[in-house]
Structures are given as structure tokens and as C-alpha cells.
Amino acid sequence: MVDSTGLEQMVCFQLYAASRAMTAAYRPALDAHGLTYPQYLALRVLWHRGPTTVRDLGHHLDLDSGTLSPLLKRLETAGHVRRERGTADERTVVVHPTESGTRLRDDLGDLPRRIACATDLTDDEFRRLHHLLSRLRGTT
Amino acid sequence: MVDSTGLEQMVCFQLYAASRAMTAAYRPALDAHGLTYPQYLALRVLWHRGPTTVRDLGHHLDLDSGTLSPLLKRLETAGHVRRERGTADERTVVVHPTESGTRLRDDLGDLPRRIACATDLTDDEFRRLHHLLSRLRGTT
DNA sequence: CAGATACCGGTTGTGCGCAACTAAATTGGG
DNA sequence: CCCAATTTAGTTGCGCACAACCGGTATCTG
């Protein structure tokens, strides 16, 4: 399980660097709308699922309330999101996309595809990368 | 270039999540020595290259002085690193690993291998991941 | 040589990530 | 039914990342 070329070290650093490079690739388009990449990820969940509790957002994004609470507060201040206490369970907070938040989908919905096209990875390479990263996530 | 299954979005998020999961995997071992993952990366460069300017550290880690300066100051406070002005070019600052910093290599030098073994990726999968991430980095 | 330009490291300000903790609400067991 | 344990969101504190900017140094040009 893993040879002795120091590849493990390389892969860990590559993940760290690639992740930052990817969010940097998103930055210009997102900046134009005053969004950050994590905020964009949260909006994508809301576009896909509609009103969602903070808890479920956390499960989808692998983030806890310590990260999400201030992030959602900023999205709310920007007018893209509305928060209200759950009625059945008053511990929960349901996050609703607003008109403004929903409209962002028109401009930013296909951003991942545009970013991917700027890459010169082939279709097949993308699929293999997806598969390998899935295997990685399954075990760490 | 990239199909329409939404794979691009998945891969971007996977990189973001995998990077965080990887640093989380390093955390217990690094915590035991009071280090963070970026600090560990900086130390690895110093172990490999010896005394290095802030500028070169930045090139190796893809980080700017805004990130490195405070990080190195903390490493210096912890006693793992010493900083001194370059003699030839007084703009530069050369970062030297101290005895303490060098000794960390005994405990943490093979950490990437230990982390990689906790994964159940095969040798070959690791190589393919390395290759795909290299291709990604080349273009973004 | 002198002034403009570029380079190097540092500082400031903002927004994550994450650990540790808190307050309020819910749930479960006796 | 009541109290302990759990769940949920929020807050605080710290360390990155990164943009924007600064002061000091070196280099390039005329």
C-alpha cells in the first residue's frame, strides 16, 4: 500500500494546492456577485434542495455551525437568503433562498462547467478523478 | 470537454472536501507537536532544502508573504525556525531550521506514509491520482 | 550617477475552518 | 411526569488564505 517515492506527500500537497487553485479559478466570476466559494456551495445546495436546515447544509457541505452560522448571516445580509426558526422543532433554523439568491443561478449555475472547460482535462480524466476522489473520501 | 452529468461541480467540491479531510487526518499527529498542516509543509521544505528564503518557500508552497510571514513568526516563537536578513540582498529573509525544527523530522518525517496507509487506495490508484492532479495543476 | 521601476517581506482587513463552549429545545428513561 | 442526556444553532478564539497596501532595497535607464 503505497510505494517509497514520496508520492503520498506529493498527493497530500497536491490536494491542498489544487483545492486552493480551484477556488481561485472560481473567484473572478464569484467576486462579480460579491460571493465566496463556500457561499456559492451553500447556494448550490439551496438551488437544488430548496429551503434547508442549517444542520442539513452542514451534512451536505461537511461544515459545522461554527462555519455556517456566520457564513449564512453574511448571505442574509447580502439578501440572498432568509432564515427562520423551524415550527415543529424550534431548535432548527430553516434557510430559504430569496428571489435574489435564486436569480444568481442564472449567471452562476453553469460556472463549474465553464471552469472545467478552462482545464484541459478530458471527459474521461474528469470521470477518473471523480472516482479516485470518491474512493479517498470513503475512507479518510 | 466535460459531459453534462454535473461531474465538474462534484469534482470541485470533492477537491475542497478531500483537502480538508486530508489535513484533518494529519491533525492528531501534528497537534501532538503543536503544529498545523501548513506549518508542517513549510518544515518539510526546510528539511529538504535547508535554509530557504521566504520567497522560495512561497514558490514551493504557492503561498504569499501575507500567509507566510505570520506562519513563520509562529514557527520561530515555537523555536523550530530562525530568521535572518540575507547578506547579499538585504530585502530577503532566510529561514533556517533550528535543532528543534530538524528533530521533528524523526517523529513526523514519515507521516504522509502513515496517513496514506490509513487510506485503502492502492499503490496504482495513488499514482493515477498524482498524475491527474498534476495535469489539473498544469492548467488552472 | 540619479531617478524611475521592480522586488522582497511585512501589515491590515475579511472570510473561512475548526475546536471548545453556551443556551435553548427536544427526547428518553425511570 | 420529571430530570438527565442529546440535539441544534450560535459565539469565541486562533490560524490560515488572500487582497491591498507599505517601506526598504536592489536594479535598470537615461
Side-chain angles (χ1 to χ4, degrees):
Chain A
M1 187 182 299
V2 171
D3 59 22
S4 39
T5 60
L7 215 60
E8 324 86 3
Q9 151 63 14
M10 289 298 293
V11 168
C12 295
F13 173 72
Q14 281 178 319
L15 282 172
Y16 164 78
S19 173
R20 288 191 294 123
M22 196 59 86
T23 82
Y26 277 80
R27 193 163 298 118
L30 295 180
D31 269 357
H33 294 274
L35 291 176
T36 65
Y37 184 62
Q39 288 168 12
Y40 174 69
L41 290 179
L43 282 176
R44 285 196 72 92
V45 174
L46 294 174
W47 291 339
H48 184 252
R49 293 174 40 90
T52 307
T53 62
V54 173
R55 168 191 142 87
D56 286 346
L57 275 172
H59 286 164
H60 278 83
L61 301 175
D62 266 320
L63 292 171
D64 65 6
S65 67
T67 300
L68 282 175
S69 286
L71 183 153
L72 292 171
K73 187 184 287 185
R74 284 185 283 271
L75 277 182
E76 188 169 44
T77 302
H80 301 314
V81 139
R82 185 168 46 81
R83 286 189 293 177
E84 55 187 36
R85 282 281 155 194
T87 49
D89 184 342
E90 291 203 358
R91 288 173 304 181
T92 66
V93 166
V94 182
V95 183
H96 300 258
T98 62
E99 248 299 296
S100 161
T102 303
R103 206 162 35 235
L104 287 171
R105 190 176 194 169
D106 299 339
D107 281 357
L108 299 177
D110 69 339
L111 188 51
R113 180 147 336 171
R114 301 209 304 271
I115 299 295
C117 289
T119 299
D120 62 356
L121 260 59
T122 65
D123 228 54
D124 194 51
E125 284 177 319
F126 246 91
R127 260 190 296 274
R128 290 205 303 257
L129 187 53
H130 171 77
H131 177 254
L132 287 171
L133 290 173
S134 297
R135 297 241 319 118
L136 196 62
R137 285 291 290 142
T139 59
T140 44
Chain B
M1 184 183 299
V2 173
D3 59 24
S4 38
T5 60
L7 215 60
E8 325 86 3
Q9 150 64 12
M10 290 299 293
V11 169
C12 296
F13 173 72
Q14 281 177 320
L15 283 172
Y16 164 78
S19 173
R20 288 191 294 124
M22 196 59 85
T23 82
Y26 277 81
R27 201 173 337 272
L30 295 180
D31 269 356
H33 294 274
L35 291 176
T36 65
Y37 185 63
Q39 288 169 11
Y40 175 69
L41 291 178
L43 281 177
R44 285 197 71 93
V45 175
L46 294 174
W47 293 337
H48 185 251
R49 293 173 40 88
T52 307
T53 62
V54 173
R55 170 191 140 86
D56 286 345
L57 275 172
H59 286 164
H60 282 276
L61 301 175
D62 266 321
L63 292 171
D64 64 6
S65 68
T67 300
L68 282 176
S69 287
L71 184 154
L72 293 171
K73 185 183 289 184
R74 283 184 284 269
L75 277 182
E76 189 170 43
T77 301
H80 301 313
V81 138
R82 186 169 45 82
R83 286 188 294 176
E84 54 187 36
R85 282 279 154 195
T87 49
D89 185 340
E90 292 201 359
R91 289 171 302 181
T92 66
V93 166
V94 182
V95 183
H96 299 258
T98 62
E99 249 300 294
S100 160
T102 303
R103 207 163 35 235
L104 287 172
R105 189 175 193 169
D106 299 338
D107 281 356
L108 300 176
D110 69 339
L111 188 51
R113 180 145 341 175
R114 301 209 303 272
I115 299 294
C117 289
T119 297
D120 61 356
L121 259 60
T122 66
D123 228 55
D124 193 52
E125 285 176 318
F126 246 91
R127 258 191 296 276
R128 290 207 305 256
L129 186 53
H130 171 78
H131 177 255
L132 287 171
L133 290 173
S134 297
R135 298 241 317 119
L136 195 61
R137 286 289 291 142
T139 59
T140 43

